[in-house]
Amino acid sequence: TTTTTTTTTTTTTNTILFDTNNTQLCDRDYVLVVDASGSVGAPNFPLEQAFFANLLSVLYSSAPNTSRFALMWYSEYGTVLSGFSRDLPALTDLVYGIEFGIEVFSRPRYALNTIRLHLLPTARSLLMHVILAADGEPTGDTSGLVLSTEVFALRDAGVQITALNFGPQSAVVSLSEIMGVSQTEVPRVGYTQLPTLAFAQQFAAHYACAPYVNTSESAPPFAEGSCDLDIGLVLDGSGSVTVTNFALQKALVQDIIELVSAQNSSARFALLVYSSASTIRTGWLAAESAISALPQISFPGGNSFPNAGLAAFRSSLLGTARSGRTKVVVMADGEISSASANSNLMSEISMLSNSDVKLVGLSLNGGGRNTLGAIMSMGASAVPVINWSDTSNIEIVEDFVHRYLCIGNSSANGTRPVREVVQLSPNCSLDLVVLLDTSGSMLATPGDVDAEYHFVESLVSALADTDVRVAVVNYGGSQRLLVPFTATRQEALSALSNITPIQGSSFAARAMLFVVQSLLVSGSGWRGGRTQVIFMADSASLDDSPSLTNGVGALHAVPGVEVVAVGLKPEITASELQFVAGSSANVLENQLGLMWSDTYALDFLLRFTCNASEPITTTTTTTTGQTTTTTTTTETITKSDGQPPPTPASTTTTTT
């Protein structure tokens, strides 16, 4: 007997289609960011190129005619290949024309920085969508904290960011931060599927043109931040707060609740207070009920044990919180009170993080940043700060909510304020010297010196399109020239990303004399005109009084030199800074915690550096019959101070 067996194999393809009734949802200004770092490898790079070429084709054919595409690649730096365009053949050629192996390290923060500075100003408001690929975690970088700053800056401008982890290596830690989602929600793909058209279609449908129609399976949710959260608000009730400031803290909490609930009425809140112990003041409440409970909370006083607040949250509120939608905001005006409490704090942080709870620290008046940095798993200088005097400033509170709670979310009416992009005048012309404090006291607290580096890197980037030459000197026990006047922007950024701190005690006078004798001389690239020296210090110089007087005097004796003195920490006083600057108008105190802000460098330059640049003058001539009208508009950049620039002055001359 012969038995014939026939086996039939049926292959089912899951088809994901774009919702043709909602094509406006694909109406975006897309920025496609190619990873060209060394770890991708020459054999695999064409597979990534094929993915982006396919993605371009899919989005181009599925999106309305108003959609545009920009293209860039990154490794150690970010390089823009094309601004926003709809020329599909040219864009595709650019994708395949990227040369692999030019650079080695992977620094996505430079890609995001380049996008913010050079593509965001030309994108349509609230319609920019960045799609960034990475085959591994960042390498060759001095700090991961700067990545967070660039991410927050783009989200604050309403930019949506989607990331793709391709290849066998994991990049989910940094990419989850970039996307604002949990690590399990970061899309991943192997090299086998990466170059296929089917994968490009699925990726576009899931992440680039949501909502989508999926004919066979439930697709993952669209990765976007949301205010539909459970937020535990942990107030500092320790004795250092005082009764008066505790009332300000409760008013701040009320503003946070109102801002979050205005964007999503489903948000829930729980109130806790900690001092020597912790008390659960409420369970999970809607906004109105939580606000009603605030006046009943009294000031306890006592020691500062935020670990007790987190323990109370974990034991009494975590079980009823919504999974994946829970954040805890811990407020503090000072550091934790004991080493044993700190050990308990580390344990609570670990348990809550493993339960997918996101922890946010908020420093009150600049206190407690070391403790809060540990809670947030970042350096102390990156912890957000709201001063007691600013607790009622709704713009500052709203900025905190958008950056740390409702990341990437739109406001209730479908729009959200977008910070106006201000650019420096190309006529801004001077030579700029930055004295960077890398003494031992700056290295004592993790993250402090990184904030200083970030400010200088942002400053160099912001000046890219101006006629400003920058030189950078770092000092401590000695001094070293990091960036000469003759360096290109890329050379300057490369030097700043690989700084070796000098350490030692702070001898500022020696650094000042070094600037005068080595930089402000012929042959150094110094042009001899207007020159500004930015002096940064976290504490008083250890030079004796005659030496300091000699160093300061030598700086001010050079014609055209002005000095801006920036105090990084409270340890250096206003009078000490004024002695260096020569004027109280050129003094800033306790600035280190502000330097992570994406706008700090630009605001600084507008206030001190480019406010006296040559005016921009444009002349327009029109002729009607025998009458010629010439309109001359003169615009001068002035101090911003948070105010809009003045209306340009115009003069009109009529000639017949």
Side-chain angles (χ1 to χ4, degrees):
T1 305
T2 302
T3 304
T4 303
T5 304
T6 303
T7 303
T8 303
T9 303
T10 303
T11 302
T12 302
T13 302
N14 294 332
T15 305
I16 303 176
L17 305 173
F18 293 103
D19 186 348
T20 55
N21 295 321
N22 290 282
T23 54
Q24 71 273 13
L25 294 167
C26 293
D27 184 11
R28 296 283 187 269
D29 282 351
Y30 292 101
V31 181
L32 306 184
V33 188
V34 181
D35 181 355
S37 61
S39 59
V40 175
N44 297 321
F45 189 63
L47 305 179
E48 185 188 5
Q49 290 173 303
F51 163 71
F52 276 103
N54 286 334
L55 186 63
L56 264 172
S57 176
V58 170
L59 292 175
Y60 184 89
S61 62
S62 305
N65 292 333
T66 49
S67 291
R68 303 185 303 169
F69 306 89
L71 180 66
M72 64 178 295
W73 66 271
Y74 77 95
S75 179
E76 296 180 18
Y77 302 99
T79 301
V80 176
L81 297 174
S82 169
F84 291 107
S85 165
R86 283 190 55 80
D87 189 340
L88 181 61
L91 289 166
T92 304
D93 287 344
L94 286 172
V95 169
Y96 285 115
I98 299 174
E99 184 178 351
F100 180 75
I102 297 176
E103 297 170 353
V104 177
F105 294 129
S106 174
R107 295 171 178 166
R109 62 150 166 160
Y110 278 113
L112 299 180
N113 177 267
T114 301
I115 290 169
R116 177 168 61 84
L117 293 177
H118 299 288
L119 292 174
L120 180 59
T122 61
R124 292 175 293 166
S125 178
L126 299 177
L127 292 178
M128 187 169 173
H129 189 156
V130 175
I131 299 175
L132 180 144
D135 85 316
E137 299 294 351
T139 56
D141 216 338
T142 56
S143 171
L145 300 180
V146 185
L147 177 63
S148 301
T149 304
E150 293 298 343
V151 169
F152 290 146
L154 288 172
R155 288 176 184 163
D156 196 43
V159 176
Q160 184 179 320
I161 310 176
T162 300
L164 173 64
N165 182 184
F166 66 90
Q169 300 182 72
S170 173
V172 296
V173 175
S174 58
L175 297 187
S176 65
E177 182 179 5
I178 288 173
M179 291 182 67
V181 300
S182 68
Q183 295 181 16
T184 58
E185 293 177 277
V186 174
R188 298 190 65 178
V189 64
Y191 281 122
T192 302
Q193 288 183 288
L194 181 64
T196 65
L197 179 61
F199 175 72
Q201 291 172 330
Q202 291 181 3
F203 180 86
H206 282 222
Y207 296 101
C209 280
Y212 43 79
V213 175
N214 188 335
T215 60
S216 60
E217 64 178 351
S218 177
F222 183 57
E224 183 176 330
S226 172
C227 273
D228 186 10
L229 300 168
D230 285 351
I231 301 177
L233 296 159
V234 186
L235 286 74
D236 185 351
S238 61
S240 58
V241 173
T242 74
V243 173
T244 300
N245 289 335
F246 191 70
L248 296 177
Q249 188 179 184
K250 290 197 293 183
L252 168 64
V253 167
Q254 178 170 336
D255 286 340
I256 291 173
I257 293 172
E258 289 176 345
L259 286 166
V260 172
S261 62
Q263 297 188 48
N264 197 309
S265 59
S266 298
R268 301 192 304 171
F269 307 89
L271 305 175
L272 305 90
V273 179
Y274 73 87
S275 55
S276 298
S278 183
T279 304
I280 301 291
R281 301 294 179 165
T282 72
W284 292 113
L285 299 174
E288 186 176 350
S289 299
I291 291 171
S292 298
L294 276 169
Q296 313 305 318
I297 299 177
S298 57
F299 175 63
N303 292 324
S304 178
F305 291 136
N307 56 299
L310 292 182
F313 178 88
R314 178 179 52 80
S315 61
S316 302
L317 291 166
L318 181 59
T320 54
R322 291 179 291 173
S323 177
R325 294 187 177 184
T326 305
K327 295 190 177 185
V328 177
V329 180
V330 181
M331 292 166 245
D333 86 323
E335 303 297 348
I336 196 165
S337 294
S338 73
S340 61
N342 190 62
S343 177
N344 293 335
L345 177 66
M346 297 302 107
S347 176
E348 292 296 338
I349 291 170
S350 176
M351 287 187 284
L352 288 172
S353 298
N354 290 335
S355 299
D356 204 18
V357 174
K358 297 219 176 4
L359 300 175
V360 178
L362 175 57
S363 170
L364 303 171
N365 222 44
R369 288 189 291 167
N370 290 324
T371 301
L372 296 174
I375 288 173
M376 297 181 73
S377 299
M378 58 176 54
S381 298
V383 173
V385 178
I386 295 182
N387 294 322
W388 292 124
S389 58
D390 292 327
T391 52
S392 60
N393 187 323
I394 197 65
E395 292 184 357
I396 291 177
V397 181
E398 185 176 31
D399 185 68
F400 169 77
V401 168
H402 282 313
R403 287 174 183 268
Y404 296 96
L405 298 180
C406 302
I407 297 171
N409 189 66
S410 300
S411 60
N413 60 2
T415 61
R416 59 174 294 188
V418 178
R419 183 179 289 113
E420 180 183 359
V421 177
V422 181
Q423 293 181 314
L424 298 174
S425 165
N427 289 8
C428 182
S429 178
L430 74 154
D431 291 340
L432 183 66
V433 181
V434 181
L435 276 169
L436 195 67
D437 184 352
T438 61
S439 59
S441 55
M442 279 296 294
L443 304 176
T445 303
D448 280 1
V449 76
D450 291 320
E452 195 182 14
Y453 294 167
H454 175 60
F455 163 59
V456 180
E457 288 176 341
S458 299
L459 184 145
V460 170
S461 296
L463 291 169
D465 297 324
T466 67
D467 186 31
V468 176
R469 293 185 181 180
V470 181
V472 182
V473 174
N474 68 327
Y475 75 95
S478 59
Q479 54 281 324
R480 181 187 302 120
L481 178 62
L482 294 173
V483 179
F485 283 125
T486 54
T488 65
R489 170 177 168 268
Q490 184 163 329
E491 289 169 343
L493 290 173
S494 178
L496 291 169
S497 67
N498 293 284
I499 298 175
T500 301
I502 288 181
Q503 304 185 43
S505 300
S506 177
F507 289 100
R510 301 176 189 177
M512 295 175 192
L513 290 175
F514 176 82
V515 169
V516 173
Q517 296 166 2
S518 302
L519 281 174
L520 305 185
V521 293
S522 176
S524 67
W526 179 55
R527 292 175 290 185
R530 182 186 172 216
T531 303
Q532 184 176 90
V533 177
I534 301 174
F535 168 76
M536 294 191 284
D538 75 327
S539 58
S541 175
L542 293 182
D543 296 287
D544 57 44
S545 182
S547 297
L548 186 60
T549 301
N550 183 41
V552 172
L555 268 184
H556 286 281
V558 179
V561 168
E562 61 185 32
V563 181
V564 178
V566 181
L568 300 174
K569 299 179 181 179
E571 284 74 12
I572 185 166
T573 66
S575 59
E576 291 167 331
L577 293 168
Q578 185 173 338
F579 178 75
V580 174
S583 167
S584 59
N586 280 9
V587 168
L588 291 173
E589 297 180 76
N590 198 19
Q591 297 293 295
L592 189 64
L594 305 176
M595 288 182 172
W596 285 114
S597 168
D598 59 294
T599 61
Y600 181 85
L602 182 59
D603 290 342
F604 181 97
L605 290 169
L606 287 171
R607 179 175 178 182
F608 292 107
T609 306
C610 288
N611 59 323
S613 62
E614 293 297 318
I616 303 172
T617 302
T618 56
T619 302
T620 304
T621 303
T622 56
T623 302
T624 304
Q626 294 182 328
T627 301
T628 300
T629 303
T630 301
T631 302
T632 302
T633 301
T634 302
E635 178 183 357
T636 303
I637 301 252
T638 59
K639 293 183 181 181
S640 63
D641 295 332
Q643 301 298 319
T647 303
S650 298
T651 58
T652 303
T653 303
T654 303
T655 305
T656 304

